[in-house]
Amino acid sequence: MDRERRAVLVSAGTLSMGAVAGCLSSSSPEPRAVDMYYPEPRVVDVDSEHQSGDRYDFTVEIENTGASGDVGTTLVWMDDQNDDPYDASTDAETSSERYFDADERREVTVTEEQPTDQEAYGFRVWAAEIGVEIENEGDDGRVDVRLLDGSEVVDDAELRLDADETTTFEFESDYAEAHPEELEIEVEAIE
């Protein structure tokens, strides 16, 4: 009977040591940013065509000189045609997003009534998505991915990565105020 008892105690002791060893050998993800990509829309031409009354078709021709992705446009009303459509004093009217391939060039048309107190219009265009490629050189786990403008967090996401996985993630938002070429990617394992 003593022998049976000893055998059970030794087995339990071995199990405990294995559990402790398993805890000591686990590690966390080791993520690193590999790449960042985004559309780079630019306005080629702006035009309007009178429909009836105060209604017009306002058209902007856009060329995407960056990666494929969603491009945002906003029709804005301005006091003068020389005003900057990105200025805070402009009145935003209609926004939309459309997918553009890399190097694609096409027109986007909006039909609206022009306010009588505004003499001019313009368009804001921006990258509506920013893609990041993350590589995990460690074990499975969660990582935090942040887009930074200096020390300010513009957008963030939590991802789960497998060991040695490389993945892509698209942040989708109105990045009209951000300049993607000035953003940085920061990634770190979540404890």
Side-chain angles (χ1 to χ4, degrees), residues 155-190:
D155 214 340
D156 67 334
E158 184 179 305
L159 307 176
R160 174 144 179 80
L161 298 178
D162 291 333
D164 300 319
E165 178 183 6
T166 299
T167 189
T168 58
F169 179 79
E170 281 80 30
F171 288 99
E172 297 175 355
S173 188
D174 179 343
Y175 296 109
E177 301 296 320
H179 300 283
E181 66 277 3
E182 296 175 7
L183 298 179
E184 294 179 5
I185 309 168
E186 181 178 83
V187 291
E188 64 182 357
I190 298 174

Side-chain angles (χ1 to χ4, degrees), residues 119-184:
E119 295 185 19
Y121 69 95
F123 282 91
R124 296 176 189 159
V125 297
W126 71 90
E129 78 179 39
I130 297 175
V132 294
E133 185 176 352
I134 306 298
E135 181 178 68
N136 178 19
E137 298 173 335
D139 288 339
D140 297 353
R142 295 177 306 138
V143 300
D144 191 28
V145 183
R146 292 182 287 277
L147 291 178
L148 299 175
D149 187 359
S151 60
E152 180 184 340
V153 176
V154 174
D155 214 340
D156 67 334
E158 184 179 305
L159 307 176
R160 174 144 179 80
L161 298 178
D162 291 333
D164 300 319
E165 178 183 6
T166 299
T167 189
T168 58
F169 179 79
E170 281 80 30
F171 288 99
E172 297 175 355
S173 188
D174 179 343
Y175 296 109
E177 301 296 320
H179 300 283
E181 66 277 3
E182 296 175 7
L183 298 179
E184 294 179 5

